[in-house]
Amino acid sequence: MATAFIFPGQGSQKVGMGKELAENFASARAVFEEVDDALGRPLSKIIFEGPEEELTLTENAQPALMAVSMAVVRVLENDFGVKIADHARYLAGHSLGEYSALCAAGAFTLDRTAKLLQTRGRAMQGAVPVGEGGMAAILGLDLGEVEAVAKKAAGGEVCEVANDNAPGQVVVSGHIGAVERACIIARDAGAKRTVMLPVSAPFHCSLMQKAAEAMAWALGEASEMPATVPVVANVTAAPESTPAEIVDNLVRQVTGRVRWRESMAFMAGEGVDLFVELGAGRVLTGLVKRNAPNAEGMAVGTPADIEKLAERLKG
């Protein structure tokens, strides 16, 4: 059995996530305390108690999701004796989840990862005035068809593919009018469904250029180490491990496409037959069968989940 650990992105957050871990394991509590200290504010209180609208803010959701993923990692390693580096062929994360993967691989410290994600969230939120941008999921068309739809819908504005999540599940991002036009054009082209997403900014498109510049500066200040496990990058759908590659890919990722379908296909092609989602929710687990039909997906976010995974990996 070859295992890849995958880490969720924005949208998987939920008030109360990680609370059971913190209540049961000192190692998990330490993660939330370290993130609070790094940010200089009680993010854990928002994670555990809400309110939901505050947790959903991009600058909170991004470090919060990473904190929950890393709490799972720490409990798995410190309390159950299962080291990520000993069992993972690859790591990967969806959008902000790539930072969680890099933290788990030792490329960034926990406190640095929290600060980077707070900066990233604020920069992405501030890159485009609220209401000017949007994102939409287009279901039932393949990537090439959605690229054609986006190009036709742009009309002098920005409309680009942001996430290639799975066959028949592609997300476009850009100016709100262009994205709305894309939904109409897509339905006329045979899309089964289009869904405007409840996001506060148009992520992973060229409108995020100011945010990319902010992250280039922030990452330039980061002290990073080579990853102990290859991390499959969103923008290349290939494993990267050197500090220079990691920084370059994270800067490009802000405006670039999340190539999740290709990333999953690459890992499956390398023999991965178990994808373990560490953290909140099971969004990525739900995409496993669509991207890697012969592989198994497993969501791990609670003490019971961790115990089950540890028993399995220890054989």
Side-chain angles (χ1 to χ4, degrees), residues 6 8-9 11-14 17-18 65 68-69 277-286 298-302 305:
I6 54 179
S12 291
Q13 70 274 359
K14 180 182 179 182
M17 62 183 184
L65 283 161
V68 175
S69 288
E277 182 175 8
L278 300 179
R282 49 182 303 111
V283 172
L284 300 182
T285 304
M298 185 176 183
V300 175
T302 67
D305 293 338

Side-chain angles (χ1 to χ4, degrees), residues 14 18 21 49 72 81 90 99 106 132 134 152 156-157 170-171 215 244 260 262 272 278 291 311:
K14 180 182 179 182
L21 292 172
E49 301 175 15
V72 173
Y90 296 104
Y99 286 78
E132 290 191 11
K152 186 175 180 180
E157 294 185 312
V170 181
V171 175
M215 289 313 297
W260 193 251
E262 295 171 88
V272 171
L278 300 179
N291 286 309
E311 289 175 357

Side-chain angles (χ1 to χ4, degrees), residues 22-38:
E23 290 172 343
N24 285 278
F25 298 100
S27 57
R29 288 195 296 277
V31 168
F32 293 109
E33 289 166 3
E34 189 173 341
V35 169
D36 286 350
D37 289 344

